[in-house]
């Protein structure tokens, strides 16, 4: 690390960057960041000198420049945007390491340019053999962090990493499975092989690595009780070294997996004690509350959370913001057509919010309207979805899940035919969920109320910026008429 006097000397000579070649600027960025130099003015001057000459940089120079700035924590949006514009058409000239470092730098700096990442997603799969184990893990981390969808890249990344897992360092294994879990991309062979590799080398993982493994495997709802038990045996004696994020992720992961671990949570463990010593954010409090619900669900007599923390976690969970989807609203309209009253976002005593609640055959039913975020790319539910469903059923709810692809399959250009299909779908699904057989089953007929079609069409118009629910005086209004139907034979 450079001394304060060295930093002052450099900052006093920032004008010299104007005379540096592009290669010199790239080397300077890499060198100062590698040495741990903390000098915001230096990096700002370096960025200003580089941004006007980017077209003269070699591909390796561009990669070193952004890597250095990201490593130093100097987020310069204008520079990163300019590098993205310059680099995306020249990726074929980057070495494999340069591709990985560029992706990592943009994700680390929070400047994930979508066009650049789409270009990387097209270029990287055919170059993966050039990447080291660290670079493969970093590439996955970068794409998962960026939020740019790249299922083909992840598939190729998993295929490349799979036969090389034994050469990965423990942190690289943890980062790789974290990336697949965060991106929601399924690669069962990689996930299973990484679990076996992790069990074999469990003592080599850091506490962050253990917590990331736990979170990742829970997030993909991987069912392997032996792997989870091994995680518990290794994590339990080390909980006193975990920070709040690691404690929350570990607790939540065991709740999802539904695997008991006395090593982590039993009377002799230090989980509850450690929870009272750290600070928590709202997301972590939510995870802790789900762990408390799991404790109640299992009936284990483990030490509970400290009373004040338990109250805080419950309050945070019960006040978490919800965002009803358009699809959820349409499910409610279809229930209305069946003559079923419904309530949206029903908050239950345990703190969960149920998307839609209704009654069918005398049974109170919770309907979960599950969009793409509730599933991985193979359409298996995520760990969060699995945990919510299991705990709601434990607390007495009859549940019906409406997956987005099944609902989308009911689309039709004719709004009335579409509503018929939606109502028939819901009636059959409600029968199955409640174990009942209503008059809606078996004869092919579903009686529906057409007036809800009018409500739905009106609501859709109200979503348009130009629509006025009540027309000003002197203006004309459009009248929506229900469709004319032929009488049944």
């Amino acid at each position: 690390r450079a001394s304060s006097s060295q930093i002052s000397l450099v900052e006093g000579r920032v004008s010299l960057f104007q005379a540096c070649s592009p290669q010199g600027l790239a080397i300077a960025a890499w060198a100062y960041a590698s040495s741990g130099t903390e000098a915001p003015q230096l990096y700002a001057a370096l960025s200003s000198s580089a941004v006007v000459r980017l077209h003269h940089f070699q591909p390796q120079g561009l990669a070193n420049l952004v890597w250095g700035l990201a490593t130093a924590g100097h987020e310069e949006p204008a520079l990163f945007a300019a590098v993205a514009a310059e680099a995306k058409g020249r990726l074929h000239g980057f070495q494999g390491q340069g591709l990985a470092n560029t992706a990592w730098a943009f994700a680390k700096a929070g400047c994930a340019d979508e066009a650049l990442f789409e270009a990387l997603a097209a270029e990287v799969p055919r170059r993966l053999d050039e990447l080291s184990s660290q670079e493969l893990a970093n590439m996955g981390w970068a794409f998962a962090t960026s939020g740019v969808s790249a299922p083909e890249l992840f598939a190729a990344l998993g295929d490349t990493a799979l036969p090389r897992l034994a050469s990965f360092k423990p942190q690289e294994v943890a980062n790789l499975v974290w990336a697949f879990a965060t991106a929601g991309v399924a690669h069962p062979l990689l996930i299973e092989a990484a679990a076996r590799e992790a069990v074999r080398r469990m003592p080599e993982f850091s506490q962050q690595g253990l917590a990331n493994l736990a979170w990742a495997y829970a997030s993909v709802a991987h069912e392997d009780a032996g792997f989870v038990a091994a995680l518990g045996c290794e994590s339990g004696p080390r909980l006193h070294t975990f920070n709040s994020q690691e404690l929350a992720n570990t607790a939540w992961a065991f709740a999802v997996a539904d695997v008991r671990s006395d090593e982590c949570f039993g009377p002799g463990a230090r989980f509850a004690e450690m929870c009272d010593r750290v600070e928590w954010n709202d997301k972590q409090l939510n995870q802790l509350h789900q762990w408390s619900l799991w404790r109640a669900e299992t009936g284990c007599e483990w030490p509970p959370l400290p009373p004040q923390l338990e109250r805080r976690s419950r309050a945070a969970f019960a006040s978490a913001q919800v965002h009803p989807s358009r699809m959820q609203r349409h499910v409610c309209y279809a229930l209305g057509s069946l003559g079923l009253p419904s309530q949206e976002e029903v908050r239950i005593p345990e703190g969960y919010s149920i998307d839609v609640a209704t009654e069918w055959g005398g049974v109170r039913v919770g309907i979960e309207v599950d969009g793409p975020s509730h599933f991985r790319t193979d359409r298996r539910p995520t760990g969060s979805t699995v945990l919510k469903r299991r705990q709601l059923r434990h607390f007495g709810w009859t549940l019906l899940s409406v997956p987005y692809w099944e609902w989308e399959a009911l689309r039709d250009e004719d709004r009335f035919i579409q509503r018929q299909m939606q109502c028939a779908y819901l009636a059959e699904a409600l029968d199955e969920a409640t174990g009942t057989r209503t008059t809606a089953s078996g004869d092919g007929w579903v009686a529906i109320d057409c007036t809800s079609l009018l409500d739905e069409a009106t609501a859709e118009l109200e979503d348009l910026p130009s629509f006025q629910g009540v027309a000003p005086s002197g203006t004309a209004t459009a009248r929506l008429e229900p469709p004319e139907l032929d009488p049944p034979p």
Side-chain angles (χ1 to χ4, degrees):
R1 180 179 293 273
S3 67
S4 58
S5 60
Q6 288 173 314
I7 294 173
S8 298
L9 179 63
V10 172
E11 290 181 337
R13 298 181 180 180
V14 291
S15 60
L16 293 179
F17 284 139
Q18 300 295 337
C20 279
S21 66
Q23 182 182 8
L25 291 171
I27 291 173
W30 177 88
Y32 285 121
S34 297
S35 70
T37 300
E38 298 177 5
Q41 293 179 10
L42 181 150
Y43 293 114
L46 196 154
S47 299
S48 298
S49 299
V51 73
V52 295
R53 289 184 277 168
L54 291 177
H55 60 287
H56 293 302
F57 277 66
Q58 295 297 316
Q60 189 62 42
L62 292 172
N64 286 346
L65 176 66
V66 292
W67 181 91
L69 294 174
T71 300
H74 186 76
E75 300 164 5
E76 190 76 40
L79 175 80
F80 276 87
V83 172
E86 182 66 31
K88 65 185 178 184
R90 299 168 59 188
L91 293 179
H92 61 280
F94 282 65
Q95 297 176 0
Q97 182 186 47
L99 292 171
N101 286 352
T102 300
W104 178 89
F106 273 82
K108 177 71 165 60
C111 301
D113 182 273
E114 186 172 357
L116 173 63
F117 272 81
E118 288 175 351
L120 282 165
E123 179 68 25
V124 168
R126 55 177 174 265
R127 308 276 300 279
L128 287 171
D129 288 339
E130 301 175 30
L131 273 58
S132 68
S133 58
Q134 180 181 3
E135 290 157 2
L136 289 171
N138 284 352
M139 185 66 74
W141 179 90
F143 268 87
T145 302
S146 75
V148 176
S149 177
E152 293 83 6
L153 179 139
F154 272 98
L157 182 63
D159 292 344
T160 302
L162 183 57
R164 296 166 55 182
L165 278 177
S167 68
F168 277 54
K169 295 177 182 178
Q171 192 62 44
E172 293 163 1
V173 174
N175 287 350
L176 187 64
V177 295
W178 179 93
F180 274 83
T182 300
V185 177
H187 198 302
L189 292 178
L190 176 72
I191 295 300
E192 290 167 9
R196 291 193 297 271
E197 188 65 27
V199 169
R200 186 175 70 84
R201 300 162 62 188
M202 198 70 77
E204 301 174 33
F205 283 82
S206 66
Q207 62 267 28
Q208 182 186 41
L210 291 172
N212 284 352
L213 279 176
W215 180 88
Y217 278 90
S219 293
V220 300
H222 182 71
E223 297 180 3
D224 186 342
F227 168 75
V228 179
L231 266 176
C233 289
E234 185 62 38
S235 300
R238 296 162 62 179
L239 284 181
H240 65 283
T241 66
F242 282 36
N243 62 28
S244 58
Q245 185 64 68
E246 293 155 1
L247 287 168
N249 281 349
T250 300
W252 179 83
F254 276 86
V256 172
D258 196 19
V259 174
R260 303 185 186 191
S261 175
D262 287 338
E263 293 83 358
C264 284
F265 312 114
R270 302 182 62 183
F271 175 72
E273 173 192 344
M274 293 308 304
C275 285
D276 208 23
R277 295 184 178 183
V278 295
E279 296 296 323
W280 303 97
N281 62 34
D282 282 347
K283 182 177 180 180
Q284 294 159 4
L285 289 170
N286 290 343
Q287 291 174 305
L288 289 182
H289 181 64
Q290 289 180 299
W291 177 86
S292 292
L293 292 179
W294 177 54
R295 178 178 171 274
E297 180 186 353
T298 60
C300 287
E301 295 186 2
W302 296 330
L305 294 177
Q308 184 178 5
L309 180 58
E310 187 162 15
R311 289 192 294 270
R312 282 183 61 206
S313 64
R314 175 182 288 272
F317 190 78
S319 61
Q321 212 169 10
V322 294
H323 303 281
S325 66
R326 183 182 180 88
M327 176 179 156
Q328 179 175 315
R329 186 170 63 180
H330 287 183
V331 169
C332 287
Y333 287 137
L335 290 170
S337 290
L338 283 170
L340 299 177
S342 62
Q343 294 175 280
E344 288 191 74
E345 302 303 339
V346 175
R347 188 74 68 173
I348 66 173
E350 291 76 19
Y352 276 112
S353 180
I354 297 176
D355 290 349
V356 181
T358 190
E359 189 173 304
W360 183 257
V363 179
R364 184 76 162 160
V365 182
I367 300 177
E368 288 293 291
V369 183
D370 293 330
S373 65
H374 291 268
F375 301 94
R376 309 182 321 183
T377 52
D378 60 356
R379 291 184 173 176
R380 289 183 58 191
T382 64
S384 295
T385 303
V386 168
L387 178 60
K388 182 179 182 181
R389 290 178 183 176
R390 194 189 74 229
Q391 292 192 332
L392 287 176
R393 289 190 175 104
H394 172 76
F395 291 114
W397 280 87
T398 297
L399 286 187
L400 166 61
S401 169
V402 179
Y404 69 94
W405 64 88
E406 292 184 3
W407 192 256
E408 290 296 318
L410 304 175
R411 284 185 176 274
D412 193 275
E413 292 182 0
D414 186 309
R415 189 181 290 269
F416 181 66
I417 292 175
Q418 175 175 291
R419 179 52 50 82
Q420 283 182 309
M421 293 191 296
Q422 290 172 342
C423 288
Y425 169 90
L426 287 174
E428 183 178 350
L430 286 164
D431 273 355
E432 183 176 351
T434 57
T436 59
R437 185 172 178 83
T438 67
T439 54
S441 303
D443 59 9
W445 285 92
V446 177
I448 70 171
D449 178 2
C450 296
T451 58
S452 70
L453 287 171
L454 190 63
D455 295 337
E456 181 176 0
T458 303
E460 288 178 356
L461 283 174
E462 288 173 344
D463 287 340
L464 300 175
S466 60
F467 180 80
Q468 298 292 330
V470 179
S473 176
T475 62
T477 61
R479 179 177 175 82
L480 295 171
E481 300 289 350
E484 293 184 6
L485 305 176
D486 294 330

